[in-house]
Amino acid sequence: MRVNRNPLRRYAGYGDDDADTTIVQPARLDPARSAEVCGQCHGIWTFRDAADERTANAHGLPYRPGDVLRETRFVAQPKVDGSSDQMRALLAADPEFVRGSFWADGQVRVSGREYNGLIDSPCFADAADPERTMTCLSCHAMHQSAGDPRPTAAWADTHQVDAGREGDGGCAGCHAPIAADVAAHTKHDVDSAGSRCYNCHMPYTSYGLLRAIRSHTVTSPSVQESVEVGRPNACNLCHLDRTLAWTGDWLRAWYGIRPPALEVEERAVAASVLWVLRGDAGLRALAAWHMGWEPAQEASGSGWTVPYLGELLGDPYDAVRYVAAQSLRSLPGLGNLDYDYVAPAAARREAAVDVLRAWRSSPAATERRDARLLYARDGSLDTAAMRRLFDTRDRRPLFLRE
Amino acid sequence: MPPAGATTGATTPADYARRHLRFGWWSLLVFLTLGLVLETLHGFKVGFYLDVANSTRRLMWTLAHAHGALLGLVHLVFGLSLRVPGERTPARLALLSRALVGATVLLPGGFFLGGVTFYSGDPGVGVALVPVGAVLLLLAVLLAARAS
């Protein structure tokens, strides 16, 4: 800011405790403006028209922190403006514009676009009181807070989440009644990973950076989202060895949520197995990542996942192969798995066969004999069933625009 | 060594020559030592000096070292020039001497203090000594130039 070239003004500022009014500090803006400061980069947007684009190319983007973002940009929000003229024009020029970044119900599914998640969250959209409106700064601290007792590396490792916000504290401040008796709400042991707010309401359903990323749209788990939208639900992302029907039954028993009608496979085969064998590339990557996620391994066991991850080592998508190999490396005895996800196909196949051969002669292979995991009673894999599901795989090309 | 800036004992050009030679050598010793200390901070990658957040301190202390050492050399040259037979002795020798000594204390001293505490990109208030020292130095150089 030009006025701060004056040294007298700067040093006068150091002498008092008042904030410098020439610098926009997102924490002092109202919630919508504050979130937009982050949303200018962490959001999916386009120019409103060709004239805007030309102006920006000649003079830079007109948005300045504190401005209303939508006055100078079109922020894509398919849940709200899916059928607007602007969106129709965009889709005519770029038919994959929505599918490449959003789930079928309009929820954002790629990394780095958390603002689109926030504006679709009830904690932002349905909030009336600014004090109880969620912004990025409800959880994140862009500079480590003065009172944060953790080493700087710990703050950075949590993706700059503020002290006390890494766990249920991210929600407790605004949802005190639920946080006061966590187990009553979550039906899990208080200390269980199944009692963490984030794990049910901000599960890892976004994709980017070769891994699963926490969704920043606050939602509640439902079987419906998995059946109608194709998005994995939080329960089955941890309970990988359970069917959608199982989740539907518990959601009804615990929360009174009516389960949707399910197909035969959705009742008989574990959800993650369906996602690995039948799902599109995005689903396969998410399922593969969760097979390496510690809380899911604890809740669902892991030995039985090896043939599924092994299958994904031969996936046509580089990213899926990479994620599958990383998850295999998290399993006992596979830490040093020698597999190059961009090696020639023959070498990759050989590595996958080696993994399976070693696994067959290990105790992990006989850990589970559940029909829903496609194991027969004698512990062998039901490869015919696997093949049947594989043949119905969603093979439409998918390019996620992270 | 007479106290810095004291003029009571010095009256003849020879006295001034002695004073500036002494002052020059001692300031060289002080500011070369500072250089060695800074070097050590580099050697051990000490964050207090090298972290990006402390770049103002690094700049200020580098400047203190450089100005102090170079001004030490100026004292030596000035002292020697007073001893060269046949050289003109500057008019207002007492003022010139005081200004030069003052500059050598205030310039590097101001830089050093400016790096002890600072406000992110701006040095601490001690840096206000620097312009005062700079004016004294200009005065000294002007007087010396007129005599040359």
Side-chain angles (χ1 to χ4, degrees):
Chain A
M1 276 267 148
R2 215 157 280 137
V3 292
N4 272 332
R5 289 196 182 147
N6 174 357
L8 296 178
R9 188 181 185 286
R10 288 204 308 278
Y11 279 91
Y14 300 137
D16 63 41
D17 291 334
D18 302 343
D20 185 344
T21 49
T22 62
I23 293 175
V24 175
Q25 148 65 301
R28 290 198 300 267
L29 294 173
D30 75 69
R33 297 293 88 76
S34 165
E36 285 167 358
V37 173
C38 316
Q40 66 174 307
C41 299
H42 291 273
I44 298 170
W45 62 274
T46 64
F47 295 103
R48 291 176 308 175
D49 50 38
D52 272 8
E53 183 166 4
R54 273 194 301 276
T55 317
N57 287 341
H59 306 288
L61 293 167
Y63 171 79
R64 291 290 172 273
D67 292 351
V68 178
L69 188 60
R70 284 186 201 248
E71 272 174 9
T72 50
R73 299 189 194 182
F74 175 74
V75 177
Q77 195 178 8
K79 267 190 195 189
V80 174
D81 57 21
S83 52
S84 65
D85 291 346
Q86 176 96 23
M87 192 63 101
R88 263 200 288 264
L90 271 169
L91 283 169
D94 175 5
E96 291 288 292
F97 177 76
V98 171
R99 185 170 173 259
S101 301
F102 299 91
W103 295 98
D105 63 350
Q107 180 178 321
V108 65
R109 66 181 294 184
V110 289
S111 62
R113 313 303 192 171
E114 294 76 13
Y115 176 68
N116 296 73
L118 181 83
I119 56 179
D120 278 343
S121 296
C123 314
F124 176 87
D126 299 344
D129 170 8
E131 296 293 316
R132 247 188 112 237
T133 304
M134 193 192 259
T135 69
C136 309
L137 302 177
S138 303
C139 303
H140 290 282
M142 293 292 94
H143 307 277
Q144 192 176 14
S145 306
D148 189 340
R150 303 169 299 171
T152 304
W155 162 74
D157 284 349
T158 57
H159 304 281
Q160 302 173 333
V161 173
D162 205 358
R165 297 285 187 269
E166 321 95 304
D168 297 354
C171 320
C174 295
H175 296 291
I178 287 181
D181 188 353
V182 172
H185 173 71
T186 67
K187 324 290 180 196
H188 285 69
D189 200 71
V190 197
D191 301 322
S192 165
S195 269
R196 300 290 68 80
C197 317
Y198 286 129
N199 286 342
C200 273
H201 291 287
M202 289 172 65
Y204 290 87
T205 53
S206 292
Y207 174 82
L209 307 172
L210 291 172
R211 57 187 166 85
I213 307 258
R214 271 205 195 284
S215 161
H216 274 60
T217 312
V218 176
T219 53
S220 295
S222 78
V223 175
Q224 196 133 359
E225 63 181 322
S226 299
V227 173
E228 284 169 16
V229 179
R231 178 174 54 240
N233 66 75
C235 311
N236 286 117
L237 283 176
C238 203
H239 293 285
L240 296 168
D241 59 342
R242 298 293 184 170
T243 62
L244 288 174
W246 178 88
T247 297
D249 289 345
W250 283 108
L251 282 175
R252 177 169 50 195
W254 287 346
Y255 303 96
I257 302 174
R258 259 175 49 138
L262 295 174
E263 315 169 357
V264 179
E265 285 90 357
E266 287 163 343
R267 273 184 265 126
V269 182
S272 71
V273 170
L274 294 180
W275 295 331
V276 164
L277 294 174
R278 290 200 317 197
D280 67 14
L283 265 183
R284 298 201 294 278
L286 293 179
W289 186 86
H290 280 86
M291 288 179 173
W293 189 43
E294 223 179 287
Q297 293 176 339
E298 271 165 31
S300 316
S302 57
W304 65 269
T305 61
V306 173
Y308 294 105
L309 290 170
E311 153 67 28
L312 293 180
L313 291 182
D315 199 272
Y317 283 74
D318 298 0
V320 174
R321 294 198 300 273
Y322 176 87
V323 174
Q326 285 300 96
S327 289
L328 277 170
R329 291 190 180 107
S330 74
L331 299 176
L334 286 166
N336 297 320
L337 172 66
D338 181 21
Y339 172 84
D340 176 3
Y341 75 109
V342 288
R348 297 197 312 250
R349 207 171 308 119
E350 205 173 304
V353 170
D354 285 349
V355 169
L356 286 177
R357 194 175 303 126
W359 171 77
R360 271 209 194 87
S361 52
S362 76
T366 49
E367 210 171 77
R368 299 287 286 265
R369 297 181 177 192
D370 313 33
R372 63 175 185 276
L373 303 178
L374 304 186
Y375 284 81
R377 276 188 190 284
D378 64 359
S380 65
L381 273 169
D382 183 352
T383 45
M386 286 176 77
R387 163 65 51 188
R388 263 198 314 278
L389 290 169
F390 183 77
D391 286 342
T392 60
R393 175 177 279 186
D394 181 351
R395 290 187 168 76
R396 281 179 306 159
L398 179 63
F399 179 78
L400 291 179
R401 305 174 177 186
E402 22 162 340
Chain B
M1 180 188 156
T7 51
T8 37
T11 42
T12 69
D15 289 338
Y16 279 111
R18 225 173 98 75
R19 158 125 57 104
H20 282 283
L21 285 171
R22 279 190 129 197
F23 195 86
W25 286 117
W26 283 108
S27 12
L28 260 184
L29 183 70
V30 168
F31 290 105
L32 293 182
T33 309
L34 175 61
L36 187 69
V37 170
L38 299 185
E39 191 93 329
T40 311
L41 296 178
H42 271 285
F44 290 94
K45 297 272 180 254
V46 176
F48 178 72
Y49 181 58
L50 293 182
D51 281 352
V52 177
N54 293 334
S55 66
T56 301
R57 170 172 298 137
R58 181 171 171 183
L59 176 65
M60 288 300 120
W61 287 5
T62 311
L63 287 170
H65 158 65
H67 282 82
L70 287 172
L71 284 171
L73 293 178
V74 171
H75 280 278
L76 294 183
V77 171
F78 181 56
L80 287 177
S81 76
L82 289 177
R83 280 195 182 167
V84 175
E87 266 299 298
R88 257 175 39 186
T89 304
R92 319 197 58 180
L93 185 54
L95 178 62
L96 196 170
S97 171
R98 263 191 255 186
L100 197 55
V101 168
T104 310
V105 172
L106 295 180
L107 259 176
F111 281 131
F112 186 82
L113 289 177
V116 173
T117 58
F118 56 94
Y119 313 95
S120 49
D122 276 332
V125 284
V127 80
L129 299 180
V130 169
V132 180
V135 168
L136 290 179
L137 182 60
L138 284 183
L139 176 65
V141 170
L142 175 72
L143 292 175
R146 288 200 347 194
S148 63

